[in-house]
Amino acid sequence: MIKICFICLGNICRSPMAEFVFKNLVTKENLQNNFYITSKGTSNEEQGNHLHPQAALELKKHNIPYNFHFASQIMANEYNDFDYFIVMDSSNYRNLQRIFQNDKNKKIFKLLDFTDNSKDIADPWYTSNFDLTYKEIEKGTKALLNHLITKYKL
Ligand code: 4NP
């Protein structure tokens, strides 16, 4: 079982979008029994909130199933619960390193590290560009799944 936690700042836009897009890809490949997939935020700003309405709309538009989401903050004692922490941007990366007090097993990656352009995924909370966010998440999650399929010979 490969345990993956997608991470952003608020856990209402990017990381739950990545969670549901990745779950959909995994299910389409019939690999759902190989994965535990969830998402969390580095802040507690949105604790308990559902997906941002525009994030939900974007998922609907692309026929990505999603279910009830309860935003939550990642805690320092959760480092050993996951194999991968997939962050959206460099700020999430720094915040998560601080929360875990380092990354001794090198579990933290930026989502677009798995593509040929390792940039940040802009925060639609500020840009309002959910369409671009979706496209980047789709590209990153496909690349991540291909990486894992090769690495673990799935
Ligand atoms: P996310 O977007 O990190 O993609 O979920 C944000 C959502 C809420 C806030 C910031 C970013 N906020 O400051 O409440």
Side-chain angles (χ1 to χ4, degrees):
M1 176 77 82
I2 305 166
K3 289 169 277 179
I4 299 182
C5 187
F6 291 98
I7 299 275
C8 63
L9 176 60
N11 191 219
I12 58 166
C13 299
R14 293 166 295 173
S15 63
M17 284 173 79
E19 172 188 340
F20 294 124
V21 171
F22 190 70
K23 278 179 172 166
N24 187 54
L25 286 176
V26 161
T27 304
K28 277 195 190 155
E29 296 293 329
N30 203 22
L31 291 172
Q32 61 274 18
N33 294 339
N34 296 89
F35 289 97
Y36 173 74
I37 304 158
T38 190
S39 66
K40 302 214 170 205
T42 58
S43 91
N44 64 1
E45 204 75 18
E46 299 286 345
Q47 188 88 25
N49 289 342
H50 188 44
L51 271 174
H52 187 292
Q54 277 178 270
L57 263 182
E58 195 64 36
L59 293 176
K60 265 204 191 117
K61 202 166 101 185
H62 295 277
N63 288 319
I64 308 292
Y66 60 91
N67 46 22
F68 185 75
H69 173 73
F70 190 87
S72 65
Q73 184 180 26
I74 187 81
M75 294 295 158
N77 64 6
E78 292 179 284
Y79 188 73
N80 293 327
D81 295 347
F82 294 94
D83 302 300
Y84 291 91
F85 295 94
I86 308 293
V87 303
M88 301 297 129
D89 63 31
S90 316
S91 163
N92 303 153
Y93 192 95
R94 285 190 300 274
N95 287 333
L96 199 56
Q97 291 257 4
R98 193 176 324 124
I99 290 167
F100 292 142
Q101 294 183 348
N102 72 29
D103 177 20
K104 66 175 174 2
N105 298 324
K106 297 270 171 282
K107 295 180 178 184
I108 310 176
F109 297 87
K110 268 192 341 194
L111 182 56
L112 294 181
D113 283 349
F114 298 96
T115 71
D116 52 11
N117 184 359
S118 175
K119 57 178 187 168
D120 288 353
I121 294 185
D123 194 339
W125 172 263
Y126 301 107
T127 66
S128 298
N129 194 342
F130 283 82
D131 201 47
L132 175 65
T133 300
Y134 177 84
K135 287 193 180 100
E136 292 183 340
I137 285 174
E138 187 184 41
K139 191 172 173 209
T141 49
K142 279 184 177 164
L144 170 64
L145 184 56
N146 284 337
H147 169 82
L148 297 172
I149 286 175
T150 305
K151 179 166 178 184
Y152 295 97
K153 301 184 174 31
L154 299 176

